[in-house]
Amino acid sequence: MRRFARVALLCLGCAVCSLLYGLSQLALSLEQEPGGGGRERQARDPATPGARQQAGSAGRGEAGTGRCKNLSVSFWNSYWMLPSDVCGMNCFWEAAFRYDYMKTHPSEKMHLAVVACGERLEETVTMLRSAIIFSIKPLHFHIFAEDQLHESFKDILILKNVDSLLYVDTDILFLRPVDDIWSFLGKFNSTQIAAMAPEHEEPRIGWYNRFARHPYYGVTGINSGVMLMNMTRIRRKYFKNDMTPVRLQWGEILMPLLKKYKLNITWGDQDLLNIMFFHNPESLYVFPCQWNYRPDHCIYGSNCKAAEEEGIFILHGNRGVYHDDKQPTFRAVYEAIKNYSFGDDLVHSLLQPLERELQKTTHTYCGRVYKVFIKQLTKSIRDLYARRSKGR
């Protein structure tokens, strides 16, 4: 009887292994079906003549070495999607253990992309500094610069090995960890592929609802300065459109849209994204305004209620406000982060000098609500020091 039980248990184990292997091969075959290509969003200026990608990492070291351990395994790119040509069943089982680890530990690496053109070098470096200061998990940067843009983009737009990506403009400043906006990926429902904030909170001053000559998302459109993307889903998505009854993939739809609306668009890729999500609204997750806080949220009076309550999470200094005197509140934050030296005390070298400068801007509308500019920053610094204390 005991021998029979052992044989039955062995057979059951073999059956389970066979089932798992069969499922992995089935999912892999679906993953590799023809037509799986896609494209990441275009650079801010579609006419820019060239670009190259650079990548770097910041934060704690990656777990393990070798291709198996470096492959992206996350909620969206599960272990059964690992390519079969990497390391066969060993890779499958290792990835299975890693997936179990992922259920209790967030993704080991966050991908941050930016397009740096012309005189945007200083702005880009300052943005990267703000990302590094508070973030917890390692960051992997994808920096697109101007050399031979079109030819280079052909090979890198899809970013085949990147599961998820946070794209930001160069004039972005992170006032809390990148980890926190990255966590929105876990809030996507089954149809959502990207997340952005509204272009305006107040329709009376909205640009799209007053001036746009093309379709746009929602009531006031969306702003593409901060865009969180599930690249795996984007590569698989077939988009509804107003050019053909046939749904098109990301890489097939952008250039035809540009050709159709090139005389009507004002804001380049942001307009194209508004058109795409107008036809596919179920694919977009909309996050609150404090994740993309711009001068429009305060120059006509405060109209981002979430920021008033919790502070600004991500500052977006569009319209060149970091470099002129039109919005000194925004410029003060930019200068404070640009001049901060890593290793210095954040309270005495960043927060206190910044608050003194902000108090000088109360003659402006944005300056009147200057406390929203340091509310979250204060919390981020306090949390950072608390983490360091626990790590000792």
Side-chain angles (χ1 to χ4, degrees):
M1 186 69 181
R2 188 175 300 172
R3 182 179 300 176
F4 175 78
R6 288 177 181 172
V7 172
L9 184 60
L10 179 62
C11 292
L12 179 60
C14 292
V16 171
C17 291
S18 300
L19 177 61
L20 288 173
Y21 181 76
L23 289 174
S24 73
Q25 296 304 307
L26 175 61
L28 183 63
S29 66
L30 294 174
E31 174 76 5
Q32 295 176 339
E33 282 181 358
R39 290 189 181 270
E40 189 198 339
R41 68 196 289 262
Q42 300 285 346
R44 298 294 298 172
D45 184 358
T48 307
R52 59 188 170 90
Q53 183 194 33
Q54 298 177 353
S57 297
R60 299 178 203 143
E62 297 173 336
T65 57
R67 190 177 171 195
C68 239
K69 296 182 180 179
N70 287 330
L71 282 169
S72 174
V73 177
S74 69
F75 181 82
W76 305 113
N77 190 33
S78 304
Y79 64 85
W80 55 77
M81 293 182 181
L82 291 169
S84 58
D85 63 341
V86 177
C87 42
M89 283 299 293
N90 289 336
C91 195
F92 172 78
W93 287 118
E94 178 179 349
F97 287 119
R98 290 181 64 226
Y99 179 69
D100 184 63
Y101 174 84
M102 292 296 299
K103 290 190 292 185
T104 54
H105 295 74
S107 178
E108 297 127 340
K109 185 187 295 183
M110 301 176 293
H111 291 264
L112 180 64
V114 63
V115 176
C117 301
E119 300 175 354
R120 300 285 182 145
L121 176 61
E122 179 189 274
E123 228 175 53
T124 304
V125 171
T126 305
M127 180 275 292
L128 297 176
R129 290 166 64 85
S130 72
I132 293 170
I133 289 173
F134 299 115
S135 292
I136 303 168
K137 294 191 292 291
L139 283 164
H140 188 92
F141 299 125
H142 300 268
I143 303 172
F144 297 91
E146 275 188 301
D147 300 286
Q148 301 173 347
L149 197 69
H150 277 183
E151 289 302 315
S152 298
F153 261 131
K154 288 180 181 178
D155 297 325
I156 59 180
L157 275 174
I158 298 176
L159 292 174
K160 292 182 179 180
N161 295 323
V162 175
D163 175 53
S164 297
L165 186 74
L166 175 62
Y167 170 86
V168 296
D169 286 347
T170 60
D171 50 11
I172 290 297
L173 293 173
F174 294 94
L175 304 184
R176 67 181 294 172
V178 177
D179 309 63
D180 296 330
I181 189 169
W182 192 260
S183 68
F184 277 109
L185 288 166
K187 298 181 180 180
F188 285 11
N189 64 26
S190 61
T191 66
Q192 291 165 337
I193 63 173
M196 286 182 276
E199 172 69 8
H200 286 282
E201 301 301 308
E202 175 51 66
R204 289 178 296 178
I205 61 173
W207 192 92
Y208 282 106
N209 54 291
R210 292 189 297 160
F211 305 118
R213 296 179 293 164
H214 58 74
Y216 56 89
Y217 178 89
V219 178
T220 61
I222 45 176
N223 184 280
S224 62
V226 180
M227 184 176 178
L228 183 65
M229 296 176 283
N230 182 313
M231 300 299 293
T232 301
R233 288 188 174 187
I234 286 176
R235 287 189 286 264
R236 296 174 181 168
K237 173 75 176 178
Y238 286 84
F239 294 87
K240 298 188 291 288
N241 61 88
D242 57 3
M243 299 174 292
T244 170
V246 178
R247 297 190 180 198
L248 301 174
Q249 287 191 292
W250 186 270
E252 301 169 328
I253 199 171
L254 290 176
M255 290 309 296
L257 274 181
L258 180 60
K259 290 179 181 178
K260 177 174 181 177
Y261 288 103
K262 63 182 179 180
L263 299 178
N264 296 329
I265 62 176
T266 303
W267 307 114
D269 62 324
Q270 178 170 294
D271 291 345
L272 295 180
L273 289 165
N274 267 279
I275 296 168
M276 289 177 67
F277 286 111
F278 169 83
H279 294 291
N280 302 270
E282 75 287 348
S283 297
L284 186 68
Y285 180 99
V286 180
F287 47 67
C289 52
Q290 75 264 45
W291 293 98
N292 189 348
Y293 191 95
R294 303 179 302 283
D296 286 343
H297 288 121
C298 57
I299 59 176
Y300 306 112
S302 182
N303 58 60
C304 179
K305 300 302 180 184
E308 293 176 18
E309 296 173 2
E310 302 177 276
I312 298 168
F313 298 164
I314 295 179
L315 192 69
H316 187 176
N318 61 342
R319 302 182 182 178
V321 294
Y322 293 151
H323 311 292
D324 58 35
D325 296 322
K326 294 180 180 179
Q327 298 301 328
T329 313
F330 281 76
R331 183 167 184 173
V333 179
Y334 175 78
E335 292 292 334
I337 294 177
K338 184 186 76 171
N339 296 327
Y340 170 74
S341 296
F342 286 108
D344 288 351
D345 181 80
L346 283 161
V347 175
H348 296 96
S349 299
L350 176 60
L351 185 61
Q352 291 178 351
L354 172 58
E355 186 167 9
R356 288 194 292 270
E357 289 300 314
L358 291 175
Q359 289 172 352
K360 300 176 183 178
T361 69
T362 53
H363 61 285
T364 66
Y365 279 113
C366 293
R368 293 176 188 175
V369 293
Y370 78 88
K371 290 187 178 180
V372 305
F373 287 78
I374 57 172
K375 195 170 190 176
Q376 177 58 46
L377 185 62
T378 303
K379 182 179 184 302
S380 295
I381 293 173
R382 184 173 64 246
D383 292 345
L384 175 61
Y385 283 143
R387 289 197 303 272
R388 288 178 179 175
S389 297
K390 291 181 181 178
R392 288 175 184 171

